[in-house]
Amino acid sequence: MNPIIFYHFPFSPNSRGALLTARSLNIQLEIKEVNLVTGEQMKPWFLAINPQHAVPVINDNGHILTESRAISQYLVNSRAPGSAMYPNDPKLRSIVDQRLSFDATTVFARMAKILGDIYKGETEIKKENIDSIYEAFKWLDDILSKSKWMAGDNVTIADTTMLATLSTLFVTKLDKYPKLQRWFDQCKEKLPGFEENAKAVEGYTNFLKSKLTKGF
């Protein structure tokens, strides 16, 4: 069987989340970079693969799948069914699914407001958007006061997904969020692909800072 083709751009938190899942599962990938900065996602060849012109996308021997969280779920279900990364137990899985939804609808969505303003030409991050991110940090800190990882005692795709989102925001100080800092340090120590993700984040945050006169 051929390796999964993974259409990816390192600046994309969503794409990095799915990649972190693949790294944690030691899945062989053929990575094809789609440069979102230069608009490569709007090229006809890529629109034929994903009309929504977003990364990540996988092609698993003819099976095309978009949406990073669905890709992470598929990678476990197809390559490591029953893994603690996405447990079969309905209650445990529901917690993972809740964290994935919380990331998509709250943490990532709030970050996207900041990124959207930067792409529109704003040179300072609005205070209300900063406050909304810190509120999400507080909620995550509360979660991690009762849980070793994002969804329990084991690493799951909730951690790989959330790491990709939060690492983009961790240019901020976490002094007030010790449980979140503990989790982040734990990811650094134990998650495969952490350094690869960190290098991509460094490039992305430098890109963002070049457009800002004032950040967090």
Side-chain angles (χ1 to χ4, degrees), residues 94-126:
S94 73
I95 299 300
V96 177
D97 289 339
Q98 188 276 334
R99 302 295 192 260
L100 295 176
S101 295
F102 181 68
D103 175 61
T105 63
T106 302
V107 187
F108 184 87
R110 294 183 182 199
M111 180 179 70
K113 288 184 179 181
I114 293 173
L115 300 179
D117 284 347
I118 294 171
Y119 295 146
K120 291 174 185 176
E122 296 284 343
T123 58
E124 291 190 14
I125 299 174
K126 296 174 183 174

Side-chain angles (χ1 to χ4, degrees), residues 8 11 19 35 48 54 75 84 89 94 99 145 161 185:
H8 171 62
F11 284 7
L19 181 60
N35 193 319
L75 290 176
D89 179 89
S94 73
R99 302 295 192 260
S145 70
T161 297
D185 293 341

Side-chain angles (χ1 to χ4, degrees), residues 104-213:
T105 63
T106 302
V107 187
F108 184 87
R110 294 183 182 199
M111 180 179 70
K113 288 184 179 181
I114 293 173
L115 300 179
D117 284 347
I118 294 171
Y119 295 146
K120 291 174 185 176
E122 296 284 343
T123 58
E124 291 190 14
I125 299 174
K126 296 174 183 174
K127 183 180 183 302
E128 60 265 30
N129 289 342
I130 294 174
D131 290 344
S132 74
I133 288 294
Y134 286 150
E135 183 179 44
F137 281 8
K138 173 62 169 60
W139 289 332
L140 290 170
D141 209 58
D142 290 342
I143 287 171
L144 289 163
S145 70
K146 306 176 184 69
S147 173
K148 181 178 180 181
W149 293 94
M150 279 292 171
D153 293 332
N154 297 302
V155 174
T156 69
I157 60 174
D159 296 289
T160 54
T161 297
M162 200 71 77
L163 176 62
T165 300
L166 290 176
S167 58
T168 306
L169 293 166
F170 277 1
V171 293
T172 62
K173 294 182 179 180
L174 293 178
D175 301 353
K176 296 180 180 179
Y177 313 100
K179 306 297 190 303
L180 196 53
Q181 181 67 67
R182 185 264 303 162
W183 169 83
F184 184 73
D185 293 341
Q186 196 170 259
C187 289
K188 183 176 182 179
E189 179 184 352
K190 297 184 177 180
L191 275 192
F194 181 92
E195 294 301 332
E196 180 182 19
N197 179 73
K199 183 177 179 180
V201 168
E202 182 181 8
Y204 188 41
T205 53
N206 287 338
F207 169 76
L208 295 176
K209 288 175 183 177
S210 72
K211 297 181 177 297
L212 293 171
T213 58

